[in-house]
Amino acid sequence: MQMTERVAPAVEDAPEAPWHPVTRSRSHELVLDQIEEQILAGTLRVGDRLPGERDLAGHLQVSRSAVREAIRGLEAQGVVRSGVGSGKDAGTIVSAMPSEALTRLLRLHVALSNFPLPDVVDARVMLERSSAALAADHAGEDDLDAMRAALDGMDSAGIGAERFNDLDTAFHVAIAEASGNRLVADMTIALRDSMRRPILHALEALGPDWEGVADQLRKDHRAIFAAIESGDGALAADRVDQHIRSAHAVLPFATHG
Amino acid sequence: MQMTERVAPAVEDAPEAPWHPVTRSRSHELVLDQIEEQILAGTLRVGDRLPGERDLAGHLQVSRSAVREAIRGLEAQGVVRSGVGSGKDAGTIVSAMPSEALTRLLRLHVALSNFPLPDVVDARVMLERSSAALAADHAGEDDLDAMRAALDGMDSAGIGAERFNDLDTAFHVAIAEASGNRLVADMTIALRDSMRRPILHALEALGPDWEGVADQLRKDHRAIFAAIESGDGALAADRVDQHIRSAHAVLPFATHG
DNA sequence: GACCATCCTGTGGTCTGACCACACATGTGG
DNA sequence: CCACATGTGTGGTCAGACCACAGGATGGTC
């Protein structure tokens, strides 16, 4: 069967954003819609296995390619995972990898400058303030250890900018993980990770001066850690706020153009 | 050419999250990686056109299917848009639709309960507090009109739960849009939208009592709007906070299982 | 010269049918 | 009872074909 139809959409105009699509006809999108609908309706849950690609294609009356392309879309959103072979990990299974998907998505859009840098900074401040405040209340010994490891690593003599930046990221991630709020943590991580590369480039652009900046960052981190360790959420939030804003003020970000 | 190799990953253990992938071998993922790399490196910018699928397949020495599946992945992340024909909109073009992609992603993961509901509520409160506070400062007449339209719509006699819920969403979206921060707005919208369906079901589950709840929501909304209109950011934030928390306390959410 | 119908070309969208690598289940020989 | 071959079903990959579409190039007509 060979088809390429056009469907007439029945759109109910919301007060915002009138118009909407018109192109909702590509068969792989229709397949995607059906699967998503089952997820939204609760028919498909985490751990459930989708029918085989060939079966699905047969039931939906589309080619296997269309089904596969739809699955790729879901995969990119961290909603399913596919495995070959048979048994346990085989087949296409609904699963939960929101963190990775969110990170990939934000990283790309930040790189494309779809979000102005000041907006990103403000968002980071907002998120990491919350993360730090929550972490001050919820952080367990494991969480604190992870932070200490990152801090100690950053103190290593002769550490390079790249390694330093990775550990810096790890420190912020550790705080987010300690917040106890999965969603806030994932958004925090995704945003910080999306800044990883830009920050590295900025550090490298500093040349020999980067050590001075690094020293300030080390001091900031230690101060933040102290506030979290002592359970002072408000103080931790303020220090994270100040840390992020001052860092972005000092770092020379390329305008990418 | 028929290939299915396994590559040995050279992973640098970060302090957090050891291990990592192992499966990075599927050809469409390799294609995806290459395109993403070009985006992250700044080689591909918004508006740029990718080579034709056939060309790309040739240069990368993979089948056209592999290329297409990679593109589907990018499409799901709102990073590219494909159009047939020739000229202007034809071809696969790097573009920016972060809002839609973010919304789809969060909606799915919220539906899958990958994020605990209390976490979602806290995140919403955090985001919408910021949005409301910013909106109080930045809202223009257009923004205020959009809010008024939603509010007036919700006052319509005999309005159904579904229409009410849509307008409720529109009100919150209008506030987010007025914040002036694209990223915060998109995250706010995505989260509120992901709650749209659950909230609707909760409203319907209330039966005839839903009118009483709706009345309270109307009062909340008017109070929030007044604070924003008068430019009192702190007050707006507090009222949004209270509004969201009380609403979630009253609404009977299905535990979905 | 202005105009319009026609063909050509290149794009993504779809379909078909085939083979590969893999992991498990089952059977079979020792 | 174990060790090995075989069968079966999964996703992964590929090649080649055709479709619908939109614009450009062509060539005719008035």
Side-chain angles (χ1 to χ4, degrees):
Chain A
M1 175 199 339
Q2 207 96 319
M3 70 161 148
T4 306
E5 327 161 0
R6 294 287 168 261
V7 293
V11 183
E12 184 77 11
D13 271 3
E16 296 303 293
W19 261 241
H20 265 212
V22 153
T23 320
R24 201 49 102 178
S25 71
R26 304 184 296 181
S27 77
H28 68 261
E29 283 189 356
L30 300 177
V31 176
L32 192 55
D33 287 347
Q34 286 209 31
I35 300 177
E36 285 192 355
E37 174 54 31
Q38 293 209 27
I39 291 175
L40 294 177
T43 310
L44 280 174
R45 314 272 295 271
V46 173
D48 290 352
R49 166 181 280 102
L50 267 61
E53 295 178 353
R54 297 168 178 83
D55 281 1
L56 207 44
H59 287 106
L60 299 180
Q61 292 277 286
V62 296
S63 71
R64 196 181 156 203
S65 326
V67 171
R68 283 181 61 76
E69 291 186 18
I71 290 176
R72 289 292 87 78
L74 293 171
E75 205 171 59
Q77 301 184 66
V79 167
V80 303
R81 158 178 48 93
S82 293
V84 294
S86 72
K88 198 164 101 32
D89 280 334
T92 300
I93 302 172
V94 178
S95 59
M97 315 169 68
S99 202
E100 296 81 345
L102 198 54
T103 300
R104 275 200 309 267
L105 193 154
L106 287 183
R107 182 166 42 201
L108 286 172
H109 285 289
V110 167
L112 287 173
S113 306
N114 290 340
F115 299 116
L117 218 159
D119 287 9
V120 176
V121 174
D122 286 343
R124 271 195 68 198
V125 168
M126 176 186 64
L127 283 163
E128 302 211 23
R129 278 190 70 98
S130 298
S131 289
L134 288 169
D137 287 337
H138 297 77
E141 209 42 50
D142 292 353
D143 300 316
L144 295 176
D145 282 345
M147 299 180 205
R148 284 193 197 96
L151 291 176
D152 292 345
M154 280 186 274
D155 285 342
S156 303
I159 190 175
E162 179 158 11
R163 179 75 181 143
F164 182 88
N165 185 41
D166 286 353
L167 289 166
D168 192 342
T169 301
F171 177 66
H172 286 265
V173 168
I175 294 175
E177 294 284 9
S179 71
N181 185 316
R182 193 65 255 146
L183 177 52
V184 171
D186 282 349
M187 292 194 294
T188 304
I189 294 170
L191 265 191
R192 164 67 214 198
D193 196 274
S194 71
M195 296 301 300
R196 189 165 165 166
R197 190 164 180 149
I199 288 178
L200 176 59
H201 289 164
L203 282 176
E204 289 171 340
L206 282 173
D209 293 344
W210 91 273
E211 278 288 1
V213 173
D215 269 338
Q216 184 57 50
L217 296 180
R218 289 190 186 93
K219 291 195 185 78
D220 288 356
H221 290 154
R222 291 287 179 186
I224 293 168
F225 178 72
I228 293 175
E229 193 177 24
S230 71
D232 190 336
L235 182 60
D238 287 343
R239 285 180 172 168
V240 165
D241 189 326
Q242 183 270 333
H243 165 59
I244 296 177
R245 291 195 189 284
S246 70
H248 279 85
V250 171
L251 292 174
F253 287 103
T255 40
H256 218 248
Chain B
M1 175 197 346
Q2 208 95 319
M3 69 163 149
T4 305
E5 327 161 359
R6 293 286 169 264
V7 294
V11 183
E12 183 77 11
D13 270 3
E16 296 303 294
W19 263 240
H20 263 211
V22 152
T23 320
R24 203 47 106 179
S25 70
R26 304 184 295 181
S27 76
H28 67 263
E29 283 190 355
L30 299 176
V31 176
L32 192 54
D33 286 345
Q34 285 209 32
I35 299 177
E36 285 192 354
E37 174 55 30
Q38 293 209 29
I39 291 175
L40 294 177
T43 310
L44 280 174
R45 315 271 295 271
V46 172
D48 290 353
R49 167 180 280 102
L50 266 60
E53 296 178 353
R54 297 167 178 84
D55 279 1
L56 207 43
H59 286 103
L60 299 180
Q61 293 277 287
V62 297
S63 71
R64 197 182 156 201
S65 324
V67 171
R68 284 182 60 77
E69 292 185 17
I71 290 176
R72 289 291 89 78
L74 292 171
E75 206 171 58
Q77 301 184 67
V79 166
V80 302
R81 158 178 49 92
S82 293
V84 295
S86 73
K88 196 163 117 0
D89 281 334
T92 300
I93 302 173
V94 178
S95 60
M97 316 169 68
S99 202
E100 297 81 345
L102 198 53
T103 300
R104 275 199 310 267
L105 193 155
L106 288 183
R107 182 167 40 199
L108 286 173
H109 284 290
V110 167
L112 287 172
S113 306
N114 290 340
F115 299 116
L117 222 168
D119 287 9
V120 177
V121 174
D122 286 342
R124 272 195 68 197
V125 167
M126 176 186 65
L127 284 163
E128 301 211 22
R129 278 191 69 99
S130 298
S131 290
L134 288 169
D137 287 338
H138 297 78
E141 208 44 48
D142 292 353
D143 299 316
L144 295 176
D145 282 344
M147 298 181 207
R148 285 194 197 95
L151 291 176
D152 292 345
M154 281 186 274
D155 285 343
S156 303
I159 189 174
E162 179 157 10
R163 180 76 180 142
F164 182 88
N165 185 42
D166 286 353
L167 289 166
D168 190 343
T169 301
F171 177 66
H172 286 265
V173 168
I175 294 176
E177 294 283 8
S179 72
N181 185 316
R182 192 68 253 144
L183 178 52
V184 171
D186 282 349
M187 292 194 294
T188 304
I189 294 170
L191 267 189
R192 164 68 215 197
D193 197 274
S194 71
M195 295 301 300
R196 189 164 164 167
R197 190 164 180 150
I199 288 178
L200 176 59
H201 288 164
L203 282 176
E204 290 171 340
L206 282 173
D209 293 345
W210 92 273
E211 278 289 0
V213 173
D215 270 338
Q216 183 57 50
L217 296 180
R218 288 191 185 94
K219 291 195 185 77
D220 288 356
H221 290 154
R222 291 286 178 186
I224 293 169
F225 177 72
I228 292 176
E229 192 177 25
S230 70
D232 190 336
L235 182 60
D238 286 343
R239 285 181 174 168
V240 165
D241 188 326
Q242 183 270 334
H243 165 60
I244 295 177
R245 291 194 190 285
S246 70
H248 279 85
V250 172
L251 292 173
F253 288 103
T255 41
H256 217 248

